[in-house]
Amino acid sequence: MRLPVVLTLLATLCAAGSALAADTVKAPSAAQTAQRQKMTDCNSQATTQSLKGEDRKKFMSNCLKAESNATEKLSPQQEKMKACNADAAKKELKGDARKTFMSTCLKKAS
């Protein structure tokens, strides 16, 4: 009499446990998808050129860098930061003088 109840209870616990243990697979983000596509494209180009070893590594590195630089666009804030940084470097500012310059430069309306 107790055996069927115990077996039913065990079967239910096993089923519930396996359902809880199942991992949910997250969909890749847009950035991950773009990176995968870049890798695939560069890899197929390297294969077409029959590159191997160090030559292939160098090609893949350059290919991935070139494509990422071409697709990335700086935001207006990043462009302002880059310009202010370049100005500070030209003036060879260091320490507090650089901080003050960067602060005033970034606050200016562009």
Side-chain angles (χ1 to χ4, degrees), residues 9-74:
L9 182 60
L10 278 175
T12 305
L13 287 175
C14 287
S18 65
L20 291 174
D23 289 333
T24 57
V25 178
K26 295 191 308 185
S29 69
Q32 290 171 329
T33 304
Q35 181 64 22
R36 285 182 187 169
Q37 187 59 46
K38 279 192 255 181
M39 286 290 289
T40 303
D41 293 345
C42 290
N43 201 16
S44 65
Q45 289 174 16
T47 303
T48 352
Q49 295 176 15
S50 302
L51 297 175
K52 300 206 186 289
E54 281 299 313
D55 291 335
R56 186 181 188 92
K57 284 181 187 177
K58 286 179 186 174
F59 174 81
M60 289 294 288
S61 177
N62 291 335
C63 180
L64 291 171
K65 285 178 188 174
E67 286 189 24
S68 67
N69 290 340
T71 58
E72 291 177 11
K73 186 178 181 206
L74 297 178

Side-chain angles (χ1 to χ4, degrees), residues 53-106:
E54 281 299 313
D55 291 335
R56 186 181 188 92
K57 284 181 187 177
K58 286 179 186 174
F59 174 81
M60 289 294 288
S61 177
N62 291 335
C63 180
L64 291 171
K65 285 178 188 174
E67 286 189 24
S68 67
N69 290 340
T71 58
E72 291 177 11
K73 186 178 181 206
L74 297 178
S75 70
Q77 179 64 23
Q78 289 171 323
E79 289 174 0
K80 187 190 278 188
M81 187 77 157
K82 187 176 179 180
C84 291
N85 230 348
D87 289 346
K90 283 180 193 172
K91 295 179 180 184
E92 297 178 1
L93 297 174
K94 306 274 184 212
D96 288 338
R98 183 182 179 87
K99 269 189 199 177
T100 306
F101 173 79
M102 289 295 289
S103 179
T104 55
C105 181
L106 292 171

